[in-house]
Amino acid sequence: AKGDAAAVKQAEKARQDAAKKAALEEEEAASAGVAKPKKKKKDKDDVSALLMAGLPPKTKKKPPPEAGADREKASALRAAQEAAKKKVLASKGIAMADDRELMRENRNRKNAEEVGATGLDDALSLLGVKEAPESKNVKVLFNAFSEKHTPIVRSENPGLKLSQVKDRVFQLWQKSPENPKNQAP
């Protein structure tokens, strides 16, 4: 019984080995036309290969264009562009002198009757804006108001904390005519 079992196992193993071998041969036959890529060995000691790796790749130079035809096309294109540019500038009232200076008509001086101002003060007076008498810092004005009204609020309300007194003084400030925000311009 043991001998028969061993013979059956060997026969099964031989059949599996034959199947694997047949499959491997089929695969090799199918890939026979395909060449396997060869691995290149990189030589780290090769200095010239390292130097060449740092250089930009060589590019093929374009053959020189036909001199006459391309030059004529380019000059004709430039002339057409310049003519179009001059036409547009002329329609906007711009005159070019020697292609270096850009000259326009001064429209500010057309009406000589109009009066002009040369400084900020003249411009403000021309517009009719009057200067404020003395504009003080709002914070300085509030501090002066606070110094004057804090004792009054404390005498009227003796049990208030300092922060509550300051709040009431600020509320008075917001309604006060001394506040620049409440003054009519």
Side-chain angles (χ1 to χ4, degrees):
K2 288 184 183 179
D4 291 335
V8 171
K9 280 185 180 180
Q10 283 181 354
E12 182 66 28
K13 187 176 181 184
R15 188 180 57 77
Q16 286 177 353
D17 288 343
K20 284 182 184 179
K21 196 174 190 181
L24 184 63
E25 287 176 3
E26 285 179 27
E27 189 176 322
E28 286 179 3
S31 65
V34 179
K36 293 181 182 178
K38 295 181 181 179
K39 294 182 181 178
K40 293 183 180 178
K41 293 183 180 179
K42 292 186 178 179
D43 191 11
K44 293 182 180 179
D45 296 333
D46 189 6
V47 177
S48 63
L50 291 173
L51 290 174
M52 293 304 287
L55 296 176
K58 292 183 180 178
T59 57
K60 293 182 179 179
K61 293 184 179 180
K62 294 180 183 177
E66 295 177 19
D70 287 343
R71 287 183 186 167
E72 289 175 9
K73 286 180 184 178
S75 63
L77 180 64
R78 262 188 252 119
Q81 287 174 343
E82 288 177 16
K85 184 178 176 182
K86 286 180 181 178
K87 186 176 181 180
V88 169
L89 292 176
S91 69
K92 291 183 178 181
I94 300 171
M96 298 294 284
D98 297 333
D99 289 337
R100 291 185 185 163
E101 298 179 28
L102 182 66
M103 300 180 70
R104 292 186 183 186
E105 180 182 359
N106 188 355
R107 295 180 185 164
N108 295 330
R109 303 283 179 176
K110 272 189 176 179
N111 298 332
E113 301 163 3
E114 294 180 12
V115 179
T118 57
L120 184 62
D121 294 332
D122 294 338
L124 288 174
S125 65
L126 184 66
L127 293 172
V129 177
K130 295 183 179 176
E131 197 174 317
E134 275 188 43
S135 59
K136 292 184 180 178
N137 191 353
V138 177
K139 193 171 186 177
V140 172
L141 293 173
F142 173 71
N143 287 339
F145 180 84
S146 177
E147 287 177 10
K148 186 171 33 169
H149 289 286
T150 301
I152 298 169
V153 172
R154 277 211 168 165
S155 66
E156 291 174 358
N157 305 301
L160 293 180
K161 296 179 183 177
L162 180 62
S163 62
Q164 293 171 328
V165 171
K166 286 183 178 180
D167 286 341
R168 293 213 178 162
V169 169
F170 184 71
Q171 289 172 357
L172 289 172
W173 168 254
Q174 288 178 329
K175 298 174 186 175
S176 170
E178 295 176 30
N179 187 351
K181 294 181 181 177
N182 295 335
Q183 294 173 355

